[in-house]
Amino acid sequence: MDSSIQAREIERLEKEKSINDWLPIASSRNAKWYYSAFHNVTAMVGAGVLSLPYAMSELGWGPGVAILILSWVITLYTLWQMVEMHEMVPGKRFDRYHELGQQAFGDKLGLWIVVPQQLIVEVGVNIVYMVTGGKSLKKFHDTVCPNCKEIKLTFFIMIFGSCHFVLSQLPNFNSIVGVSFAAAVMSLSYSTVAWAASIHKGKQSNVQYSYASSSTKGTLFSFFSAFGDIAFAYAGHNVVLEIQATIPSTPEKPSKKPMWKGVIVAYIVVALCYFPVALIGYWAFGNSVEDNILISLEKPAWLIAAANFFVVIHVIGSYQIFAMPVFDMLETLLVKKLHFPPGLTLRIVTRSTYVALTMFIAMTFPFFGGLLGFFGGFAFAPTSYFLPCIMWLVIYKPKKFSASWIANWICIILGIMLMLVSSIGALKSIIDSAKTYKFYS
């Protein structure tokens, strides 16, 4: 009897191992530190960088610079916390954000706290990147061929989305490292084009740094919305544990060391991209800057066309980085809970359906600026700014009024304020856009 129970247990463990080896997050653990740098740059420096001059125009010089710097410092600190917590239990790894949540808040509550927020972030980013990819493709087409027949944005979103039906079949993070490297290089390239072209164009003769809205109410809502744009620009935390899961680890050489090395490199690149684009773009155009800086930069045409093409390549990589944890969740649910057999057919159907869904939503609601602010406030603020701090307080229980305790509570309070005000501002922006919007234009 004992031997049959033992045999069944061995069979169960082997089956579980084969499933885990098939799932995208846990299937490959041979990543180098620089893989994490590529993935983190691709995840972090998204299309959000192009909206930073617009966010600056809604905030003004003083508040804008302060919030940019504060966001960089806070999110670097919370990212360090997540890297540290990845292997805080000896012999165990928290390969997914929700696993860390379960360790902090309990199995059921941890899932309910983390999974909805993580899904909102990842699915939200994928929808926004579908819109960004389509808009950048359209801008590229219109710049290269100004006399060509007008093509609807809807068709460009479909063109952009079509490549993801193929790329989404790549099994795990390590298999998309080439895409991620290209995307990371492109992010640095188009950010450089954005600020260098702004310097070349120079400070506009009619530039104004006052708030664009004539009413106090309008200024306040714009101010709120800008918080969300900046929160969106620091969205990489949602995939950081999943990226760290791909790095090998032993008690002598824990994964946090190479991961942190990659994070530092990524954050230096983030600073090189964000600060020049935000400050120089606002300096050149003031409060008349568009919600995508490349739209304000019309000349030289070839350079703007190239920058938009760089954006397209970058958001192709970013889409895949944020989609991979979603694929992992869907495939885990289908295989472990609903007992579908793992294999190519399941993967093709699941991932293609997800790509089609995000493409359809993007085609239906492409309010770029408002979407950035709303998703930024509603979901990015918790997962990037204060959820890691709450987990740290729950798990490590630092002494009251110690430096760690105070730092965490400051991040939590600022993060909650950011979440509330940016969601309100962005919702107003979406409502205003919806009044004049025509479906599938």
Side-chain angles (χ1 to χ4, degrees), residues 362-420:
M363 282 156 46
T364 311
F365 307 107
F367 316 126
F368 179 63
L371 281 174
L372 273 182
F374 183 69
F375 285 126
F378 190 65
F380 296 108
T383 51
S384 293
Y385 285 76
F386 65 88
L387 197 55
C389 297
I390 295 172
M391 291 177 180
W392 189 272
L393 290 174
V394 170
I395 293 165
Y396 287 106
K397 297 181 176 60
K399 194 178 173 187
K400 265 191 181 182
F401 306 110
S402 64
S404 172
W405 189 88
I406 292 166
N408 283 302
W409 274 109
I410 289 170
C411 293
I412 291 165
I413 292 162
L414 291 175
I416 290 169
M417 285 165 60
L418 177 72
M419 178 180 74
L420 295 173

Side-chain angles (χ1 to χ4, degrees), residues 56-76:
M56 285 289 297
S57 74
E58 293 181 312
L59 292 166
W61 279 116
V65 172
I67 291 162
L68 267 179
I69 294 170
L70 206 56
S71 291
W72 192 88
V73 172
I74 289 173
T75 55
L76 180 59

